[in-house]
Amino acid sequence: MEYVRKQAAVEIFRRGGAQTAGSLSKEVSRVPSGVQSWATQQEWISQSCSVGRSLEGGPLPERLVADLCYQVIGVLCLAGEAAVAAALVSRVIAVEDESMGIGDPKTELQERLKNGSVSYEYQREGPDHGATFRAVATDDRGRCGVGVGPNKKRASQEAALDFLQRHVPEAFSTRKVTVARAAAAEIPTNQAHTRMVRRLQKLFSLPATACPLLSQALIHSSWAYEHRGVLSACHQQDNQVLGFIGSQVLNYEHALAGTRHALFNPPDAATNLTTLNEVHANAFRHAGLASGLLLGAGQASIGISTETGSNAFQAVIGAVFAATGFPESLRSRWPQEWEPVWRMVASEIPREMDPTTLLQRATSAMKLTFDFSYRSSGPGHAMQQRATAILSSAELGAETRIEGTWIIGKPRAKHQASQAVLKILDQLAKRQPAKALRSENENFRAVGRFLLAHQVAFLAANRAPVRRWVDARLFGMHWATSPADLLSWAQEADEVIAGIAGCNPSVSNVEHAFRAASELASSPQDAVEPEMAALLNILEQLHTPESLTTDQLQRLMQLAELCRCLGSDDLGVDFRELADDWQLLHRNGLLLPRFLPSVRLSGRERAVLDAGVSAVLAPDTQASVEVLRSHPLRLRFLSGAPLDLTAVRRMCTLWSGVCRTANLEPNECGIDATIFTTADSASAGPITSAARAALQPAALPYQAAVADLLHDLKNQLVAARLASCTTADTRTAHLQQQLTASRHLDQAHALTARLRSTTSLLGPAGTESVDIGSFLRQYSAGVLTRLPGRISLSIPDATHSVRVALDQGGLTAILDNLVGNAIEALSNGGSITLEWTADDDEAVVEITDDGPGLPPEVSAALEAGDRVRSTKPGGNGLGLLGVRSLLNRVGGELANVPAPSGTGTAWLVTLPIVPTAIREHL
């Protein structure tokens, strides 16, 4: 893309005539749209590209074809074949000239109407999955234009284009052909300027004919205004046009260097942010160009600003680029003396995002709109700007403002104001936000309260894109990895919003957000699944009952207890009551302190402490319990006998994973246990209450099914070992025992296979993603091959590319379950429909059928989070609750909604979109 912009600038600049930086920029901005329209006409692109089966047999989406064209141009540049790329770009520009295309019809129309205005009206036509829009553009005089498109934006552009063709045909006048420039001369009136021109000529080994261009590069607009006579006599102009050319050249060189580096050192995410003015200004100073820059008297009195130095450096590069015949790259012609300058302007390492871009990303995530207003002060040549960031919340129906500082230049003023807002967001993201805000002035505190209140109001009305909020460090969700830190943040957040009128957050909505963030951070199964996989690997290789060890059997029993705990939602208990139970259960085997704190424990927390106590108990020895702290509760379980440290570490890891508010750690003589949520809850605010509730994991009913399978597996293995070890009186009895043992072992292997199927798809969420549109078309094509003839299936379109945060195996398992249920429901025939849509944050897949609908008992069980028992033989073991769990672990959601036709079943599968690289041109 940078190469296309650079080449377009060169082509247009070469035409000559009266040019300004503004006119060049406008012409160049039209070229990308020309690439899209030109590329769609090139059969060689569609004929030679490789696409998925979902895109075969039909026209490719315009945006996809344009992306393929850009990829070809990019590879040509990287391969040193930029001349071929230049020929392609020249064809694009030539076609644009022939068609007299207009890059942005809406903008062109508004400019042509001058003081008039134009309004747009829209009509939607067609079904939801294939809607089209009809737009009518009407001006003050009643003239109109009509356009149709797949969305409002495209339809309005077509309507504006139709209006121009009907009523403003002069907008399509032929572009200017090449016009010879008047021969310019070097500015002769300043010796320092002349010396610098000669120095640049020698440095880049340029001919004498390059001196006028080099001279122009060092003419500031203030000097040009004060010396109009000299400028006219020399047929010169200021350096703005050369500055624009140089900026395009430097942007390309920077992108080229960064891309080459990324090819050999692939980053997690690729970005291409153009170089800041400050970098080019530093290059200007490092190159020592200041003495040769011609400045007006007023400008000279205040010195060379960042913008002035940056533009002058870019103009020098533009002049050198033109004087050397517009080479494909300046790298080979760059002088050794300026090597440090090259490393500045063509750095291989991408720069960090500027404050305004960072603010835009944060506000976009929480759907908060922002804008800027400006105030100016001082004379024109030294005018300072002060920007005010205006933040508007639709949820609160209010706005707030915060000012930046006085500084020269609107972009810098804007960044100053943005930085002020980012500082407040950073304070809100700290572990103790109330304490952080207390150190700021009242205006900062007021904006901080506004931002937090908006986040609360947004969560009350919307489902937050949790992954984006975690990445943007919004609403404390980044603290979800640590229960103690999350609770600390929540308590202080309650303090920040206390007293704000109308700010009464719903505990259930906030809890949902915190719970989703916690599931992204870690899952109760993260520790269980590696142990499950390791044990299943062992049992699959078990060929005789005698080879089963006691340790393996104990590990199997522990896994069953863990899964039983994960699948249940036991009532809580006071710690003193739990200690009484220990006294009764273990009698004289456990020594407890006399005084115990009264602390309320959840069912999961109790299970973790039970496991810790059981691990230190041994026959004929006495273990003990010490209370190290009450709030949060910290206990030490000490064993009276040596412990198997490997087994203890494994047990601590497993049981610490079932509850995020409880932790077990081995010590030299036993185990330390910590319960994090035991602070006084009577005075807890709504955010703190929600955080506590979110940290208590919900029951996972499908884990109860896993526990049942593990229990059955244990029984079969024990039965096999007993049968093989029992003494037989006769040879026949011995063979019968061997047959019995073999049958039990076969049953154990069958249960192992079922466990493998049930748990294989529920592993930790990975980093893989899939293009949802292409995948759905390919998946649908596969379903059609096995679909009964009495059932029809609609195949969704793949109009654009969106990647979702789930791998192909996981998405296949989800769809197999939902589509399989639909096929089973349509025993007498019917239809199944797959559709999808997406916005900036999420994609939604809709699976509907026109069958009898979801049975009430299944709907009620799913709504209540209870286990849904299936009578279907076979299957992949992933039930509806397993589907929901798998989606939750990537930040998605499963919802049963009313079917559009009024009958049948409809499911909505919501999936977060994988963030794409952001491209900014500042």
Side-chain angles (χ1 to χ4, degrees):
M1 288 183 175
E2 292 293 0
Y3 181 81
V4 168
R5 289 176 58 84
K6 184 200 78 166
Q7 286 301 112
V10 169
E11 293 271 352
I12 298 165
F13 175 74
R14 279 173 163 171
R15 293 174 179 168
Q19 293 179 332
T20 65
S23 66
L24 277 175
S25 178
K26 184 177 180 180
E27 290 290 305
V28 169
S29 68
R30 293 174 173 172
V31 173
S33 63
V35 171
Q36 181 162 313
S37 59
W38 177 82
T40 56
Q41 307 297 322
Q42 307 306 303
E43 293 186 359
W44 62 268
I45 296 180
S46 57
Q47 291 175 352
S48 58
C49 70
S50 297
V51 296
R53 284 187 294 171
S54 60
L55 293 175
E56 291 177 352
L60 298 177
E62 290 184 1
R63 179 63 181 272
L64 174 60
V65 178
D67 286 344
L68 290 168
C69 183
Y70 279 123
Q71 290 175 24
V72 171
I73 293 172
V75 170
L76 289 170
C77 293
L78 290 167
E81 297 290 344
V84 182
L88 291 177
V89 178
S90 295
R91 292 181 189 178
V92 173
I93 297 173
V95 171
E96 278 288 283
D97 286 341
E98 291 172 5
S99 63
M100 297 169 289
I102 293 178
D104 186 352
K106 290 181 71 175
T107 301
E108 183 75 23
L109 175 57
Q110 193 60 56
E111 291 179 355
R112 293 283 176 173
L113 293 179
K114 296 182 179 179
N115 296 327
S117 62
V118 61
S119 61
Y120 294 88
E121 295 182 356
Y122 302 92
Q123 289 183 341
R124 178 172 174 155
E125 302 170 349
D128 290 343
H129 62 274
T132 58
F133 292 85
R134 182 176 186 270
V136 178
T138 309
D139 71 350
D140 298 337
R141 296 163 54 184
R143 299 178 299 178
C144 65
V146 180
V148 177
N151 51 54
K152 287 184 177 181
K153 180 178 179 181
R154 184 67 174 271
S156 63
Q157 293 280 17
E158 293 296 327
L161 187 61
D162 183 55
F163 188 104
L164 290 169
Q165 290 170 338
R166 292 185 184 188
H167 308 295
V168 196
E170 60 271 22
F172 296 88
S173 58
T174 306
R175 296 181 182 180
K176 293 180 180 179
V177 295
T178 302
V179 177
R181 290 187 178 88
E186 184 181 348
I187 300 297
T189 59
N190 186 292
Q191 292 183 357
H193 175 79
T194 300
R195 285 195 296 270
M196 183 57 65
V197 169
R198 295 292 181 273
R199 178 190 164 199
L200 291 171
Q201 177 196 358
K202 181 179 180 181
L203 189 66
F204 284 91
S205 304
L206 299 174
T209 53
C211 290
L213 268 180
L214 296 172
S215 178
Q216 183 183 130
L218 296 170
I219 302 174
H220 187 258
S221 57
S222 61
W223 190 93
Y225 179 78
E226 295 177 7
H227 299 80
R228 293 187 293 276
V230 175
L231 212 67
S232 178
C234 294
H235 300 291
Q236 280 283 17
Q237 63 184 74
D238 64 31
N239 62 6
Q240 296 297 310
V241 169
L242 287 176
F244 178 80
I245 298 298
S247 71
Q248 303 306 307
V249 172
L250 289 169
N251 286 344
Y252 169 67
E253 297 286 3
H254 173 67
L256 185 64
T259 304
R260 282 177 172 158
H261 178 76
L263 288 175
F264 294 100
N265 304 276
D268 293 333
T271 59
N272 178 34
L273 300 177
T274 53
T275 308
L276 293 172
N277 280 343
E278 285 78 3
V279 175
H280 289 150
N282 287 337
F284 173 83
R285 287 190 290 271
H286 191 90
L289 299 173
S291 62
L293 182 60
L294 298 177
L295 297 170
Q299 186 69 40
S301 67
I302 62 171
I304 300 174
S305 67
T306 298
E307 286 72 19
T308 298
S310 174
N311 189 70
F313 177 77
Q314 292 175 88
V316 167
I317 298 305
V320 170
F321 183 69
T324 51
F326 306 99
E328 300 304 340
S329 173
L330 281 177
R331 186 66 182 105
S332 61
R333 299 169 181 262
W334 200 262
Q336 182 63 33
E337 184 180 333
W338 274 22
E339 191 62 27
V341 176
W342 180 267
R343 289 196 295 271
M344 289 182 190
V345 299
S347 172
E348 296 177 344
I349 308 301
R351 69 169 175 87
E352 295 181 355
M353 292 183 184
D354 62 82
T356 304
T357 301
L358 291 172
L359 179 60
Q360 189 276 331
R361 296 187 74 179
T363 54
S364 172
M366 57 179 166
K367 299 299 186 284
L368 181 72
T369 60
F370 76 100
D371 202 353
F372 298 94
S373 63
Y374 300 90
R375 287 191 291 157
S376 303
S377 177
H381 62 275
M383 184 175 293
Q384 290 193 322
Q385 303 282 343
R386 188 169 192 170
T388 299
I390 307 168
L391 306 169
S392 303
S393 167
E395 282 73 17
L396 296 176
E399 69 177 31
T400 191
R401 298 168 178 251
I402 187 167
E403 282 189 326
T405 57
W406 287 104
I407 197 168
I408 294 177
K410 270 191 176 182
R412 297 178 69 193
K414 178 177 63 175
H415 293 336
Q416 289 272 14
S418 298
Q419 187 60 54
V421 181
L422 289 174
K423 180 180 179 181
I424 298 172
L425 286 172
D426 184 62
Q427 302 288 54
L428 290 175
K430 290 184 177 178
R431 190 174 183 270
Q432 296 178 303
K435 180 179 179 181
L437 286 178
R438 281 195 293 270
S439 64
E440 304 294 345
N441 59 48
E442 178 54 35
N443 186 35
F444 266 55
R445 291 196 294 272
V447 175
R449 290 192 293 271
F450 173 89
L451 289 170
L452 191 58
H454 166 79
Q455 293 171 32
V456 167
F458 181 87
L459 291 175
N462 305 277
R463 183 176 180 272
V466 175
R467 190 182 295 273
R468 288 189 67 189
W469 280 45
V470 170
D471 293 341
R473 302 171 73 239
L474 296 174
F475 204 69
M477 292 190 188
H478 54 293
W479 293 116
T481 55
S482 167
D485 291 339
L486 179 60
L487 289 171
S488 173
W489 182 90
Q491 290 164 4
E492 295 250 333
D494 277 321
E495 182 180 335
V496 172
I497 66 169
I500 298 179
C503 188
N504 300 307
S506 165
V507 172
S508 61
N509 289 340
V510 177
E511 176 191 343
H512 177 84
F514 281 145
R515 187 178 296 279
S518 297
E519 289 174 345
L520 278 180
S522 64
S523 171
Q525 301 91 267
D526 286 351
V528 175
E529 283 151 359
E531 174 70 0
M532 177 81 74
L535 196 54
L536 291 180
N537 287 338
I538 293 172
L539 297 180
E540 284 173 342
Q541 303 301 317
L542 190 68
H543 298 298
T544 62
E546 295 84 3
S547 58
L548 178 68
T549 67
T550 302
D551 176 68
Q552 292 165 358
L553 193 59
Q554 288 177 343
R555 290 171 65 180
L556 183 60
M557 294 169 64
Q558 181 170 242
L559 268 180
E561 293 175 12
L562 279 163
C563 291
R564 188 78 62 198
C565 177
L566 291 171
S568 63
D569 192 12
D570 295 336
L571 296 176
V573 65
D574 188 276
F575 176 60
R576 291 176 178 174
E577 297 176 16
L578 176 59
D580 290 341
D581 291 345
W582 287 345
Q583 289 276 30
L584 291 174
L585 183 63
H586 304 297
R587 299 185 181 276
N588 298 325
L590 186 66
L591 181 63
L592 292 164
R594 185 173 180 181
F595 298 102
L596 297 172
S598 178
V599 173
R600 192 69 187 173
L601 303 172
S602 70
R604 289 276 184 96
E605 290 166 347
R606 171 180 180 158
V608 173
L609 295 183
D610 280 339
V613 166
S614 299
V616 298
L617 291 170
D620 302 324
T621 60
Q622 190 176 59
S624 63
V625 178
E626 296 179 2
V627 178
L628 304 180
R629 188 175 177 180
S630 298
H631 300 290
L633 181 63
R634 292 199 64 198
L635 305 174
R636 176 162 290 170
F637 305 136
L638 298 173
S639 177
L643 297 174
D644 182 344
L645 291 181
T646 300
V648 169
R649 290 193 188 97
R650 181 170 60 238
M651 186 278 303
C652 288
T653 299
L654 288 170
W655 281 98
S656 295
V658 304
C659 180
R660 302 197 63 238
T661 58
N663 184 65
L664 298 178
E665 290 184 359
N667 60 45
E668 293 181 357
C669 301
I671 296 170
D672 286 341
T674 305
I675 306 296
F676 296 105
T677 58
T678 55
D680 180 23
S681 59
S683 59
I687 299 179
T688 305
S689 298
R692 285 181 178 162
L695 289 172
Q696 297 298 333
L700 304 173
Y702 75 89
Q703 286 287 1
V706 174
D708 289 344
L709 289 174
L710 288 167
H711 182 75
D712 292 344
L713 175 59
K714 184 263 296 182
N715 288 342
Q716 294 294 341
L717 290 172
V718 170
R721 193 161 70 169
L722 286 175
S724 65
C725 294
T726 303
T727 303
D729 296 332
T730 65
R731 184 167 64 90
T732 300
H734 177 68
L735 291 174
Q736 287 177 336
Q737 288 174 351
Q738 285 184 320
L739 178 61
T740 300
S742 179
R743 285 173 173 168
H744 284 302
L745 196 57
D746 286 344
Q747 288 294 321
H749 283 155
L751 288 168
T752 300
R754 288 184 62 188
L755 278 166
R756 178 77 75 184
S757 172
T758 301
T759 58
S760 62
L761 293 169
L762 300 174
T767 59
E768 294 184 26
S769 63
V770 66
D771 186 306
I772 186 68
S774 298
F775 173 83
L776 286 176
R777 286 186 63 84
Q778 183 175 345
Y779 176 83
S780 300
V783 172
L784 282 173
T785 63
R786 62 179 188 273
L787 197 65
R790 64 183 181 276
I791 300 175
S792 64
L793 174 69
S794 70
I795 299 179
D797 294 329
T799 55
H800 57 294
S801 177
V802 173
R803 300 197 72 84
V804 295
L806 189 64
D807 61 24
Q808 185 168 329
L811 191 52
T812 298
I814 291 170
L815 293 177
D816 278 349
N817 184 277
L818 300 176
V819 173
N821 288 343
I823 294 173
E824 186 181 64
L826 298 173
S827 56
N828 296 322
S831 62
I832 301 173
T833 301
L834 285 179
E835 294 294 347
W836 73 282
T837 186
D839 59 17
D840 292 338
D841 301 317
E842 296 173 326
V844 178
V845 181
E846 183 178 12
I847 303 101
T848 61
D849 65 65
D850 57 1
L854 200 65
E857 63 275 12
V858 175
S859 180
L862 191 65
E863 183 68 25
D866 295 334
R867 181 179 173 187
V868 182
R869 298 183 180 273
S870 175
T871 59
K872 290 187 295 185
N876 63 12
L878 190 67
L880 291 175
L881 289 173
V883 169
R884 176 171 286 177
S885 177
L886 179 56
L887 287 170
N888 287 344
R889 295 174 69 179
V890 296
E893 192 174 67
L894 174 69
N896 177 228
V897 296
S901 62
T903 60
T905 304
W907 297 99
L908 294 183
V909 175
T910 303
L911 289 161
I913 289 176
V914 176
T916 55
I918 292 181
R919 177 187 181 84
E920 295 292 338
H921 291 282
L922 303 176

